[in-house]
Amino acid sequence: MKKNYHNQSAKIVVSELKSNIKGLSVKEVKKRRIKYGLNKLIDQKKISKLFILFSQFNNILIYVLILAALISFLFQEYIDASVIMVAVFLNTIIGYFQENKANSDLSKLKTYIKHQVFVRRDGKQYLIDVENLVCGDIILLQAGSKISADARIIESNELKVDEAVLTGESVPVNKNNQKVSLGSSIGDRSSMVYMGTTVVKGNAVVIITAIGMDTEIGKIAGYVSQTKDEDTPLQLRLKKLGKLIGIVAVIICLLIFVLGIILGRSALEMFLVSVAIAVSSIPEGLPVAITVVLAIGMQRILKEKSLVRRLVAAETLGSTTVICTDKTGTLTLGKMKISSVILDNEIVDLLSSKKKNISQRTAKVLRVGILCNDAFFEEEHDAKEGLKELKVSGSPTDRALLLSGIESGLSLKNEIKNYSRIAEVTFDSSKKYMMTLHENNNLKSNDKLLLCKGAPEVILEHCTFIETVDGIKRLTEKRKIELKKIENKLTAQGLRLLALAQRNIKPQLLKENLDDNFESLTLIGLITLRDPLRESSKQTIRICRQAGIRPIIITGDHKLTARAIAGEVGLKIAAENILVGKDLDKLNDKDLREKVKKVDLYARVSPHHKLRIIKALQENGEVVAMAGDGINDAPAIQMADIGIALGSGTDIAKETAELVLLENDFSVIVQAVKQGRILFDNLRKIIVYLLSDSFSGMLLVVSAVILGLPLPLIPAQILWINIVNDSLPNFALAFEKGDQDIMKRKPLKKNEPILDKEMKFLIFVIGVFTDIGLLTLFILLMKTGYDIVLVRTYMFAALGIDSLIYVYSCKNLKRQIWNYKLFDNKLLVLATAISLLMLMAGIYFPFFQKALRTTSLGMEGWLIMLGVGVFEIISIEFGKWLFIHKRFGRDKR
């Protein structure tokens, strides 16, 4: 029977679910998990291995080969028919192996991000995986949380939830704990929150009412299945390229067929030759190759502590020209500590002083810091273990305030008891302050205590008084200027400042909207925070600039704090290259587009500023990576070409991002960019290898037909080289580790053609020079009077050896073969060795000799083959040399 929890009071719902505000016991949780299972939706049906195997036959080339085999069989050419079917079988097996590995790797990557939630159990708070939730669990929600089960609200504060995924309503919905009428639709149930929706503002305590497939989203047939992965732009471009090459190849093959018939050749022979050329010239391995390269690239990026959530990010990373990031947690460790408390008449150093002996005034400042605070302990504090074992959750600032207060001798339990919280205004990066309202249980009166913390310039603007050693005094403009000077001096040292204030309010003067009480505050002190710099930051910034990538700091901190940190990591930023949020607001879009060309540091910015900055950079042709962690960063992350979420970030930031950092470190972003460049480089190597090979084989046969010569290769031999000989080296190129100087090059241009001028030239050079060399060899051998079977064996061996040698030239398209390690890719060495053995088998094994119409070669023959290979290498390296020197001359200019 369906429970109408939205129509019942929170107290009744808790009772019906046999729970309590302190949460279920661990023992009860185990019972319920056994009974109801895990909190999971039914997984999308995985692609079976059998499906992948049969999908290899869904290929126009396979259809053509099978047709050719049938025609050969009808004409009683049983050997040719058998060879073609073997080629089909081998192509299927190799394609299956490559695609299955790629799909397997991509599936594993999807399991790396696990959503977690704070839950109360036995009166303690734990961070657990959402799949371990059970009905009756009490969980805590905060802005940016993705709601992981259906739940009834017990307590809430300014709670707003985006329910578009469930109801289609794009405007966030206000939520509270008040019951609603029985017949209310899902969109009107303001007392409930549902799985799959997202908290966009506020916080709440809720009780789980349904999990897994029993949730509202779980009941929607077909909706819960994951979205099918779509081809990336690069995959689409490659498919388009493959189709274009295929059309051209078919036209050429038709011309060859017609020309052969005109010249009096056998129709069956010309048909099989045309089929073989079509198969050898169409790079059918490209679609699988790109999938393999992307999958391997994503695995390598994962090893560098980043997770690619969308394939498109893997191919775009190499083009990144700008990385926008905050300094906290990326350039710094994100482990803030309170270094001092600034009172009216003194500065108290908390790092060197004995914290247990602090003054009452210092304690008052720290008290505001731990009460006006959303950080909390995941489990109870054990006095025996000390503070080192505490797990504190919350923002870096809140964690620092909470720990500093407790280390200084304050008792969190007692402070909460004496000043119980009534309401709060959660911290908002656009407002730059947090405010909480408390009962003052130490007073007999009903006066309320309002506590505030935030950016000094914001808090000071709303302060009328200041607490001094002589009591509370009026805060004069002169004193505000003095405090501003102190702020500038300390922020220039790389310190972050927070102002803390309070106000006693009589109940009759308390305004209903808590924000409206943000006035007539009493400043009680300032706090300085220090966040240590990461050791790797300076080196990473240097690599970043060397790679032609511009690092930009976008932060909510004071400009002098950010500038000092930037200076420490090697970013010497002049005053004119800094833009503050309030000044950014004065610029129109046109002026901002000019300004962003020079600005490297944006301070005191709000979420809408980030959107304008990214848009302006993109309009200037930059490829922008944006790193963020909060819910307010989500729009900017989504707008960027590469959205990056910190591992410590909110669920919504991670859901929006293409790349999630498993370690909050700027160097991780740069390493991901490096792997993106390697990925694109490897793809180009594979394309050059496949297309040049295809072009060579086709050109050789076409030349022989045009010149009226016998066919240099029979169809079976062409298929053997194309499918058996070349497939493994092509696959192995995807595992290249990348050139040593890859991060010294300029970024790839956005939407840069897959085939650049150098690649086209190399493909042409390889094809033409290979054809000239092999055709010359063919003519010479024919003139010597050798048997046609022996001559074709020479050509078969020459073309096979040729492709196994020049694959090592394709290892690096930017450097000469003697300037890089030839055998560092063990998989490529193994692939060429196996391919060489298969080539030898085709020449020396009696069964294959009969099938491929080959004969054994002597030592003299292999010396000739070696000469052909050397000629090929010289030709390719000469082509590379021309472009290397052309690039060098251009770079010098």
Side-chain angles (χ1 to χ4, degrees), residues 879-892:
K880 281 162 60 172
W881 179 83
L882 290 175
F883 270 89
I884 289 167
H885 280 262
K886 186 178 179 182
R887 269 200 313 272
F888 179 74
R890 188 170 59 243
D891 292 342
K892 283 185 72 175

Side-chain angles (χ1 to χ4, degrees), residues 389-491:
E389 299 300 322
L390 284 176
K391 290 185 178 180
V392 184
S393 292
S395 70
T397 303
D398 279 356
R399 290 200 304 266
L401 288 168
L402 182 56
L403 286 172
S404 184
I406 292 173
E407 287 171 348
S408 299
L410 297 177
S411 167
L412 179 61
K413 186 176 181 180
N414 289 339
E415 297 301 337
I416 291 173
K417 182 180 177 182
N418 294 331
Y419 303 97
S420 53
R421 187 184 293 189
I422 306 167
E424 72 171 293
V425 173
T426 54
F427 179 80
D428 187 309
S429 58
S430 58
K431 292 180 178 178
K432 295 183 175 58
Y433 69 86
M434 177 182 178
M435 184 162 52
T436 54
L437 185 67
H438 302 259
E439 296 281 6
N440 191 339
N441 299 320
N442 295 318
L443 300 176
K444 292 182 180 179
S445 66
N446 290 325
D447 286 3
K448 311 300 178 188
L449 181 63
L450 186 74
L451 303 178
C452 306
K453 75 167 190 282
E457 65 270 25
V458 176
I459 299 295
L460 285 173
E461 189 180 336
H462 294 84
C463 283
T464 308
F465 307 97
I466 183 172
E467 185 163 308
T468 71
V469 69
D470 299 319
I472 295 174
K473 305 287 185 182
R474 181 166 289 277
L475 182 59
T476 63
E477 286 301 318
K478 180 182 177 182
R479 185 58 180 142
K480 284 185 179 180
I481 292 171
E482 290 172 354
L483 289 169
K484 184 67 179 174
K485 287 180 180 178
I486 293 172
E487 181 189 6
N488 289 341
K489 181 182 177 182
L490 293 172
T491 52

